[in-house]
Amino acid sequence: MKLDKSSTPAVKPQGQWHHGNLRESLVQWGVVLLREVNLDQLSLRQIAKSAGVSVGAPSHHFGDKDGLLAAMAAQGFRELIALRRSYLAKLPADDLQGRMHALVRGYVEFAQSNGSLFELMLGAGLSKRLQYPELVEQGRASYLLFCEIAQPLLPPPAQCAMPHADALQMLWSSIHGLAILRVHRRPAPVKASRSRTLDHQIDSMTQFCLAAIAGLRIP
């Protein structure tokens, strides 16, 4: 759905952000608007109008559009972490495979439900992202959560066919690839033998990751 630049969302974000915390208000409104328009359509003017402040207010807090986008991407990582932790909290600590499934589910579901925000978080739309410490910190925290859950499933380093850091990166890359395909609603060139539903693909990805982990063990 496209949003005219002169309009505001019909439903406001949950909660109220007072001008005493204007930075947070602008970030939250930016995230809300990004669920209705793509990144190219989003403007500082839209965000300021939605937050009920002057057009110059975002520049005062963030410098330019990229500064605000970086803060929005950081908020996206916080929400992604919170969603996955909410799934993990329902499982016992020793259910390692179940926790891997929860991790995959949280990542892919978040991506599909927040496509434009997800691409802002991990795509090429935001230049010079390393200049924004908040974004770097939250992106790292999200990846470390993945490592925290996946690493205990790996064989001990002496029995693993590749360094743990490389194995974790390849596992994450596979999950991320599925998430991107779901965001763009692009199926594989050849139809799989079973359903393409979200649940089925999450289950299949979890099984794939667990099989890949098992295959890393040196006989």
mmCIF file of all heavy atoms in Angstrom, residues 58-88:
data_model
loop_
_atom_site.group_PDB
_atom_site.id
_atom_site.type_symbol
_atom_site.label_atom_id
_atom_site.label_comp_id
_atom_site.label_asym_id
_atom_site.label_seq_id
_atom_site.Cartn_x
_atom_site.Cartn_y
_atom_site.Cartn_z
ATOM 1 N N PRO A 58 13.722 16.578 12.902
ATOM 2 C CA PRO A 58 14.565 15.395 12.689
ATOM 3 C C PRO A 58 16.030 15.725 12.448
ATOM 4 O O PRO A 58 16.920 15.039 12.960
ATOM 5 C CB PRO A 58 13.930 14.738 11.446
ATOM 6 C CG PRO A 58 12.511 15.191 11.469
ATOM 7 C CD PRO A 58 12.565 16.593 11.997
ATOM 8 N N SER A 59 16.299 16.770 11.687
ATOM 9 C CA SER A 59 17.693 17.153 11.421
ATOM 10 C C SER A 59 18.400 17.562 12.695
ATOM 11 O O SER A 59 19.600 17.294 12.864
ATOM 12 C CB SER A 59 17.730 18.300 10.404
ATOM 13 O OG SER A 59 17.193 17.886 9.165
ATOM 14 N N HIS A 60 17.683 18.183 13.616
ATOM 15 C CA HIS A 60 18.289 18.599 14.886
ATOM 16 C C HIS A 60 18.772 17.396 15.682
ATOM 17 O O HIS A 60 19.825 17.438 16.319
ATOM 18 C CB HIS A 60 17.274 19.404 15.702
ATOM 19 C CG HIS A 60 17.749 19.768 17.069
ATOM 20 N ND1 HIS A 60 18.698 20.744 17.290
ATOM 21 C CD2 HIS A 60 17.422 19.264 18.295
ATOM 22 C CE1 HIS A 60 18.939 20.828 18.588
ATOM 23 N NE2 HIS A 60 18.173 19.948 19.222
ATOM 24 N N HIS A 61 18.022 16.304 15.646
ATOM 25 C CA HIS A 61 18.361 15.127 16.451
ATOM 26 C C HIS A 61 19.260 14.141 15.714
ATOM 27 O O HIS A 61 20.033 13.418 16.355
ATOM 28 C CB HIS A 61 17.074 14.406 16.884
ATOM 29 C CG HIS A 61 16.347 15.110 17.979
ATOM 30 N ND1 HIS A 61 16.605 14.893 19.314
ATOM 31 C CD2 HIS A 61 15.369 16.049 17.925
ATOM 32 C CE1 HIS A 61 15.812 15.664 20.054
ATOM 33 N NE2 HIS A 61 15.044 16.359 19.236
ATOM 34 N N PHE A 62 19.159 14.087 14.376
ATOM 35 C CA PHE A 62 19.851 13.034 13.646
ATOM 36 C C PHE A 62 20.824 13.547 12.587
ATOM 37 O O PHE A 62 21.536 12.747 11.986
ATOM 38 C CB PHE A 62 18.824 12.113 12.973
ATOM 39 C CG PHE A 62 17.872 11.469 13.941
ATOM 40 C CD1 PHE A 62 16.603 11.989 14.137
ATOM 41 C CD2 PHE A 62 18.249 10.353 14.675
ATOM 42 C CE1 PHE A 62 15.723 11.399 15.023
ATOM 43 C CE2 PHE A 62 17.372 9.757 15.572
ATOM 44 C CZ PHE A 62 16.111 10.286 15.754
ATOM 45 N N GLY A 63 20.835 14.838 12.343
ATOM 46 C CA GLY A 63 21.746 15.404 11.353
ATOM 47 C C GLY A 63 21.175 15.368 9.953
ATOM 48 O O GLY A 63 21.040 16.402 9.309
ATOM 49 N N ASP A 64 20.828 14.196 9.462
ATOM 50 C CA ASP A 64 20.253 14.053 8.124
ATOM 51 C C ASP A 64 19.394 12.800 8.093
ATOM 52 O O ASP A 64 19.217 12.119 9.112
ATOM 53 C CB ASP A 64 21.350 14.019 7.055
ATOM 54 C CG ASP A 64 22.370 12.899 7.293
ATOM 55 O OD1 ASP A 64 22.070 11.967 8.074
ATOM 56 O OD2 ASP A 64 23.459 12.956 6.694
ATOM 57 N N LYS A 65 18.867 12.503 6.914
ATOM 58 C CA LYS A 65 17.971 11.351 6.780
ATOM 59 C C LYS A 65 18.688 10.054 7.137
ATOM 60 O O LYS A 65 18.110 9.183 7.807
ATOM 61 C CB LYS A 65 17.424 11.283 5.358
ATOM 62 C CG LYS A 65 16.419 10.143 5.157
ATOM 63 C CD LYS A 65 15.862 10.133 3.747
ATOM 64 C CE LYS A 65 14.881 8.977 3.549
ATOM 65 N NZ LYS A 65 14.307 8.952 2.180
ATOM 66 N N ASP A 66 19.943 9.906 6.721
ATOM 67 C CA ASP A 66 20.667 8.679 7.041
ATOM 68 C C ASP A 66 20.815 8.485 8.542
ATOM 69 O O ASP A 66 20.774 7.349 9.032
ATOM 70 C CB ASP A 66 22.050 8.681 6.382
ATOM 71 C CG ASP A 66 22.010 8.154 4.947
ATOM 72 O OD1 ASP A 66 20.915 7.823 4.466
ATOM 73 O OD2 ASP A 66 23.076 8.080 4.314
ATOM 74 N N GLY A 67 20.983 9.576 9.271
ATOM 75 C CA GLY A 67 21.095 9.463 10.724
ATOM 76 C C GLY A 67 19.825 8.910 11.339
ATOM 77 O O GLY A 67 19.876 8.060 12.244
ATOM 78 N N LEU A 68 18.689 9.370 10.852
ATOM 79 C CA LEU A 68 17.410 8.854 11.356
ATOM 80 C C LEU A 68 17.192 7.411 10.894
ATOM 81 O O LEU A 68 16.744 6.559 11.670
ATOM 82 C CB LEU A 68 16.256 9.742 10.886
ATOM 83 C CG LEU A 68 14.837 9.295 11.258
ATOM 84 C CD1 LEU A 68 14.708 8.987 12.743
ATOM 85 C CD2 LEU A 68 13.822 10.355 10.839
ATOM 86 N N LEU A 69 17.544 7.116 9.657
ATOM 87 C CA LEU A 69 17.391 5.750 9.160
ATOM 88 C C LEU A 69 18.241 4.777 9.967
ATOM 89 O O LEU A 69 17.821 3.657 10.252
ATOM 90 C CB LEU A 69 17.770 5.678 7.682
ATOM 91 C CG LEU A 69 16.843 6.396 6.700
ATOM 92 C CD1 LEU A 69 17.383 6.266 5.278
ATOM 93 C CD2 LEU A 69 15.422 5.863 6.778
ATOM 94 N N ALA A 70 19.448 5.197 10.341
ATOM 95 C CA ALA A 70 20.317 4.330 11.149
ATOM 96 C C ALA A 70 19.686 4.042 12.505
ATOM 97 O O ALA A 70 19.741 2.909 13.000
ATOM 98 C CB ALA A 70 21.686 4.978 11.326
ATOM 99 N N ALA A 71 19.070 5.056 13.105
ATOM 100 C CA ALA A 71 18.399 4.855 14.392
ATOM 101 C C ALA A 71 17.194 3.938 14.233
ATOM 102 O O ALA A 71 16.905 3.109 15.106
ATOM 103 C CB ALA A 71 17.976 6.205 14.973
ATOM 104 N N MET A 72 16.491 4.062 13.116
ATOM 105 C CA MET A 72 15.354 3.175 12.846
ATOM 106 C C MET A 72 15.823 1.736 12.648
ATOM 107 O O MET A 72 15.191 0.791 13.120
ATOM 108 C CB MET A 72 14.593 3.666 11.614
ATOM 109 C CG MET A 72 13.833 4.964 11.830
ATOM 110 S SD MET A 72 13.336 5.758 10.260
ATOM 111 C CE MET A 72 12.507 4.411 9.417
ATOM 112 N N ALA A 73 16.935 1.561 11.933
ATOM 113 C CA ALA A 73 17.477 0.215 11.734
ATOM 114 C C ALA A 73 17.889 -0.400 13.066
ATOM 115 O O ALA A 73 17.659 -1.590 13.316
ATOM 116 C CB ALA A 73 18.662 0.272 10.772
ATOM 117 N N ALA A 74 18.500 0.401 13.931
ATOM 118 C CA ALA A 74 18.874 -0.094 15.259
ATOM 119 C C ALA A 74 17.640 -0.532 16.037
ATOM 120 O O ALA A 74 17.648 -1.568 16.719
ATOM 121 C CB ALA A 74 19.638 0.985 16.025
ATOM 122 N N GLN A 75 16.561 0.240 15.933
ATOM 123 C CA GLN A 75 15.317 -0.134 16.596
ATOM 124 C C GLN A 75 14.766 -1.429 16.013
ATOM 125 O O GLN A 75 14.226 -2.281 16.736
ATOM 126 C CB GLN A 75 14.284 0.991 16.447
ATOM 127 C CG GLN A 75 12.910 0.685 17.011
ATOM 128 C CD GLN A 75 12.930 0.403 18.507
ATOM 129 O OE1 GLN A 75 13.835 0.835 19.214
ATOM 130 N NE2 GLN A 75 11.935 -0.317 18.997
ATOM 131 N N GLY A 76 14.912 -1.606 14.706
ATOM 132 C CA GLY A 76 14.485 -2.855 14.086
ATOM 133 C C GLY A 76 15.213 -4.056 14.669
ATOM 134 O O GLY A 76 14.601 -5.092 14.946
ATOM 135 N N PHE A 77 16.527 -3.923 14.889
ATOM 136 C CA PHE A 77 17.281 -5.019 15.497
ATOM 137 C C PHE A 77 16.795 -5.288 16.918
ATOM 138 O O PHE A 77 16.719 -6.443 17.341
ATOM 139 C CB PHE A 77 18.774 -4.702 15.501
ATOM 140 C CG PHE A 77 19.460 -4.992 14.200
ATOM 141 C CD1 PHE A 77 20.028 -3.972 13.448
ATOM 142 C CD2 PHE A 77 19.540 -6.291 13.718
ATOM 143 C CE1 PHE A 77 20.656 -4.247 12.247
ATOM 144 C CE2 PHE A 77 20.170 -6.576 12.520
ATOM 145 C CZ PHE A 77 20.734 -5.554 11.775
ATOM 146 N N ARG A 78 16.460 -4.243 17.665
ATOM 147 C CA ARG A 78 15.933 -4.448 19.019
ATOM 148 C C ARG A 78 14.638 -5.253 18.966
ATOM 149 O O ARG A 78 14.411 -6.158 19.779
ATOM 150 C CB ARG A 78 15.678 -3.105 19.706
ATOM 151 C CG ARG A 78 16.930 -2.320 20.075
ATOM 152 C CD ARG A 78 16.586 -1.128 20.938
ATOM 153 N NE ARG A 78 17.727 -0.256 21.107
ATOM 154 C CZ ARG A 78 17.998 0.805 20.335
ATOM 155 N NH1 ARG A 78 17.158 1.130 19.353
ATOM 156 N NH2 ARG A 78 19.066 1.534 20.544
ATOM 157 N N GLU A 79 13.768 -4.908 18.027
ATOM 158 C CA GLU A 79 12.491 -5.618 17.907
ATOM 159 C C GLU A 79 12.708 -7.061 17.459
ATOM 160 O O GLU A 79 12.009 -7.971 17.932
ATOM 161 C CB GLU A 79 11.585 -4.874 16.928
ATOM 162 C CG GLU A 79 11.160 -3.499 17.440
ATOM 163 C CD GLU A 79 10.258 -2.756 16.473
ATOM 164 O OE1 GLU A 79 9.840 -3.352 15.448
ATOM 165 O OE2 GLU A 79 9.968 -1.574 16.725
ATOM 166 N N LEU A 80 13.661 -7.283 16.565
ATOM 167 C CA LEU A 80 13.978 -8.638 16.127
ATOM 168 C C LEU A 80 14.509 -9.476 17.283
ATOM 169 O O LEU A 80 14.102 -10.629 17.471
ATOM 170 C CB LEU A 80 15.011 -8.581 15.000
ATOM 171 C CG LEU A 80 15.611 -9.911 14.527
ATOM 172 C CD1 LEU A 80 14.514 -10.860 14.048
ATOM 173 C CD2 LEU A 80 16.636 -9.664 13.428
ATOM 174 N N ILE A 81 15.395 -8.908 18.066
ATOM 175 C CA ILE A 81 15.930 -9.608 19.235
ATOM 176 C C ILE A 81 14.807 -9.937 20.211
ATOM 177 O O ILE A 81 14.712 -11.058 20.724
ATOM 178 C CB ILE A 81 17.016 -8.755 19.919
ATOM 179 C CG1 ILE A 81 18.255 -8.664 19.023
ATOM 180 C CG2 ILE A 81 17.392 -9.340 21.286
ATOM 181 C CD1 ILE A 81 19.269 -7.626 19.488
ATOM 182 N N ALA A 82 13.942 -8.960 20.465
ATOM 183 C CA ALA A 82 12.849 -9.168 21.423
ATOM 184 C C ALA A 82 11.900 -10.270 20.956
ATOM 185 O O ALA A 82 11.451 -11.099 21.763
ATOM 186 C CB ALA A 82 12.083 -7.861 21.628
ATOM 187 N N LEU A 83 11.603 -10.314 19.656
ATOM 188 C CA LEU A 83 10.705 -11.348 19.142
ATOM 189 C C LEU A 83 11.331 -12.721 19.323
ATOM 190 O O LEU A 83 10.674 -13.666 19.803
ATOM 191 C CB LEU A 83 10.417 -11.092 17.666
ATOM 192 C CG LEU A 83 9.560 -12.154 16.971
ATOM 193 C CD1 LEU A 83 8.174 -12.240 17.603
ATOM 194 C CD2 LEU A 83 9.464 -11.869 15.472
ATOM 195 N N ARG A 84 12.583 -12.876 18.961
ATOM 196 C CA ARG A 84 13.223 -14.186 19.092
ATOM 197 C C ARG A 84 13.366 -14.597 20.551
ATOM 198 O O ARG A 84 13.167 -15.763 20.895
ATOM 199 C CB ARG A 84 14.585 -14.174 18.390
ATOM 200 C CG ARG A 84 14.438 -14.116 16.856
ATOM 201 C CD ARG A 84 15.776 -14.172 16.163
ATOM 202 N NE ARG A 84 16.542 -12.974 16.441
ATOM 203 C CZ ARG A 84 17.819 -12.815 16.103
ATOM 204 N NH1 ARG A 84 18.480 -13.795 15.511
ATOM 205 N NH2 ARG A 84 18.449 -11.689 16.357
ATOM 206 N N ARG A 85 13.659 -13.644 21.415
ATOM 207 C CA ARG A 85 13.755 -13.981 22.841
ATOM 208 C C ARG A 85 12.394 -14.396 23.387
ATOM 209 O O ARG A 85 12.313 -15.244 24.287
ATOM 210 C CB ARG A 85 14.328 -12.805 23.631
ATOM 211 C CG ARG A 85 15.820 -12.593 23.416
ATOM 212 C CD ARG A 85 16.442 -11.789 24.537
ATOM 213 N NE ARG A 85 17.861 -11.574 24.351
ATOM 214 C CZ ARG A 85 18.804 -12.472 24.605
ATOM 215 N NH1 ARG A 85 18.460 -13.667 25.062
ATOM 216 N NH2 ARG A 85 20.081 -12.192 24.402
ATOM 217 N N SER A 86 11.327 -13.832 22.873
ATOM 218 C CA SER A 86 9.993 -14.217 23.351
ATOM 219 C C SER A 86 9.696 -15.673 22.981
ATOM 220 O O SER A 86 9.058 -16.398 23.755
ATOM 221 C CB SER A 86 8.918 -13.291 22.764
ATOM 222 O OG SER A 86 8.705 -13.531 21.381
ATOM 223 N N TYR A 87 10.146 -16.125 21.824
ATOM 224 C CA TYR A 87 9.982 -17.527 21.438
ATOM 225 C C TYR A 87 10.894 -18.426 22.262
ATOM 226 O O TYR A 87 10.488 -19.508 22.699
ATOM 227 C CB TYR A 87 10.274 -17.712 19.949
ATOM 228 C CG TYR A 87 9.213 -17.166 19.023
ATOM 229 C CD1 TYR A 87 9.531 -16.706 17.750
ATOM 230 C CD2 TYR A 87 7.877 -17.110 19.414
ATOM 231 C CE1 TYR A 87 8.561 -16.209 16.890
ATOM 232 C CE2 TYR A 87 6.910 -16.615 18.566
ATOM 233 C CZ TYR A 87 7.250 -16.166 17.300
ATOM 234 O OH TYR A 87 6.284 -15.678 16.460
ATOM 235 N N LEU A 88 12.127 -17.999 22.471
ATOM 236 C CA LEU A 88 13.081 -18.800 23.233
ATOM 237 C C LEU A 88 12.626 -18.972 24.680
ATOM 238 O O LEU A 88 12.871 -20.014 25.294
ATOM 239 C CB LEU A 88 14.462 -18.143 23.190
ATOM 240 C CG LEU A 88 15.165 -18.143 21.828
ATOM 241 C CD1 LEU A 88 16.390 -17.233 21.872
ATOM 242 C CD2 LEU A 88 15.567 -19.558 21.425
#
